[in-house]
Amino acid sequence: MCGDALGMPLEGMPAQEIRDRFGRVDRMLEGRLPRGSYTDDTEMMIGVAESLLERGGFDGGHMAARFLRNLQGERGYGQGTMMALEEVRQGVPWQDAGARAFPGGSWGNGAAMRVAPLALVYVAGDLQRFAGLSSLITHTHPLGLEGAILQAEAVSLALATGSVVAPRFLRALKGWARTPEYLRALEDVEALLVQDPTVEEVVAVLGSGSTALRSVPTAIYCFLREPRSFKDAVTYGVNLGGDTDTVGAMTGAIAGAFHGACAIPPGWYEALEGGAKGKAYVEDLARGLWNLAREKNPGGCGL
């Protein structure tokens, strides 16, 4: 939610424009929505969490219906997601909606941006399975689906580890990668971590756009580049430009899983929107997910 709201006012701007207009953005700003507002990223994440808690685990039909019930178009949904949800509205089964809406399947980052609650509840093979199934509601292209799985695994790894060793973290992620495109991207992440690249060089190599391939590895890089600070990791991500709310949201999900809520800067927290499904509601969802995770993983599994 923090990364989403921090990146919201900058969405679509290249890094140079951000620097020229604002300098280095590390504070909440007004944008197309009021200061501290979240976008479709967090709204869909809320839907994932609500569905998990209401059903006691993954239920694709219930989750798709929850997405529809929550949908506020002004939050800024992508075209592919809107098309898929319209298919659901028309009665298409949830597991077929994404494929029906977008020939060949969408490879956008819409499934990856919302997947964090699953990573807080499930581990190992269950996480891979349910992250993939949750993607099918809107994103069925192998690159869109694998992006969601890798983002989920990154959150899960960050949650379970006590210290971040980048080569070890990336080695684990490579074990989950199934496509040569993501394997190459993770190799690029590793190479950039031992360099001192400019923002423009990072964007040229990894991207900061709305496809999963050009944003999920970027979020992983932002976390591993700034592993000691939630604020620094998220700030770096949104200042890359491009799909800033989603890169911010995904970076925040990974860094937040590692550092915990206590690492959120007070000024960011205070600026977050309230209301019926604002920050207090999201905190309650987080507590519910914690309890659900303990039920499903009684042995601990890093929890």
Side-chain angles (χ1 to χ4, degrees), residues 1 4-11 13 22 27-43 72-77 245 271-273:
M1 187 179 184
D4 182 9
L6 189 70
M8 175 271 295
L10 314 176
E11 187 177 9
M13 297 182 192
F22 305 109
R27 63 206 181 280
M28 298 286 182
L29 300 172
E30 295 283 333
R32 60 181 177 81
L33 299 171
R35 177 174 176 263
S37 297
Y38 60 76
T39 75
D40 59 317
D41 301 61
T42 300
E43 185 160 87
Q72 300 180 62
E74 65 272 18
R75 298 281 185 185
Y77 283 73
D245 56 330
L272 290 175
E273 72 171 88

Side-chain angles (χ1 to χ4, degrees), residues 132-175:
L133 286 173
S134 73
S135 177
L136 291 181
I137 301 170
T138 53
H139 292 70
T140 62
H141 190 282
L143 295 180
L145 192 149
E146 184 165 332
I149 292 172
L150 287 178
Q151 172 69 12
E153 176 63 6
V155 173
S156 182
L157 285 171
L159 184 71
T161 189
S163 61
V164 177
V165 179
R168 185 184 306 159
F169 195 94
L170 289 168
R171 187 162 55 249
L173 289 178
K174 290 174 190 174

Side-chain angles (χ1 to χ4, degrees), residues 206-221:
L206 297 178
S208 60
S210 61
T211 67
L213 182 61
R214 299 290 283 174
S215 56
V216 172
T218 309
I220 293 166
Y221 171 78

Side-chain angles (χ1 to χ4, degrees), residues 48-289:
V48 172
E50 289 173 333
S51 181
L52 287 171
L53 293 175
E54 289 171 24
R55 302 297 291 174
F58 179 77
D59 180 325
H62 185 274
M63 189 172 289
R66 176 57 67 176
F67 290 157
L68 273 175
R69 189 182 309 173
N70 288 353
L71 193 152
Q72 300 180 62
E74 65 272 18
R75 298 281 185 185
Y77 283 73
Q79 181 183 12
T81 295
M82 291 292 284
M83 292 167 61
L85 293 181
E86 181 58 29
E87 293 290 332
V88 173
R89 191 190 304 276
Q90 295 296 326
V92 174
W94 67 269
Q95 62 268 42
D96 300 327
R100 283 276 299 271
F102 206 96
S106 173
W107 54 15
N109 53 25
M113 72 188 190
R114 66 183 188 236
V115 79
L118 284 158
L120 302 181
V121 171
Y122 292 106
V123 295
D126 283 343
L127 176 56
Q128 183 176 25
R129 177 187 173 203
F130 291 125
L133 286 173
S134 73
S135 177
L136 291 181
I137 301 170
T138 53
H139 292 70
T140 62
H141 190 282
L143 295 180
L145 192 149
E146 184 165 332
I149 292 172
L150 287 178
Q151 172 69 12
E153 176 63 6
V155 173
S156 182
L157 285 171
L159 184 71
T161 189
S163 61
V164 177
V165 179
R168 185 184 306 159
F169 195 94
L170 289 168
R171 187 162 55 249
L173 289 178
K174 290 174 190 174
W176 285 70
R178 295 292 179 267
T179 63
E181 291 89 345
Y182 278 104
L183 286 169
R184 283 196 298 270
L186 293 172
E187 292 287 350
D188 289 338
V189 169
E190 192 162 21
L192 287 169
L193 287 170
V194 297
Q195 303 170 23
D196 186 22
T198 65
V199 164
E200 284 75 16
E201 288 169 338
V202 172
V203 172
V205 173
L206 297 178
S208 60
S210 61
T211 67
L213 182 61
R214 299 290 283 174
S215 56
V216 172
T218 309
I220 293 166
Y221 171 78
C222 293
F223 168 61
L224 294 176
R225 177 189 171 94
E226 304 288 351
R228 291 175 293 279
S229 169
F230 172 84
K231 179 182 179 181
D232 289 348
V234 175
T235 297
Y236 185 86
V238 303
N239 281 273
L240 293 173
D243 196 3
T244 50
D245 56 330
T246 301
V247 172
M250 293 191 298
T251 303
I254 303 169
F258 180 69
H259 292 285
C262 61
I264 296 172
W268 290 10
Y269 177 82
E270 291 161 7
L272 290 175
E273 72 171 88
K277 292 195 176 182
K279 58 188 173 185
Y281 183 77
V282 171
E283 287 179 332
D284 286 342
L285 291 177
R287 294 185 187 98
L289 291 169

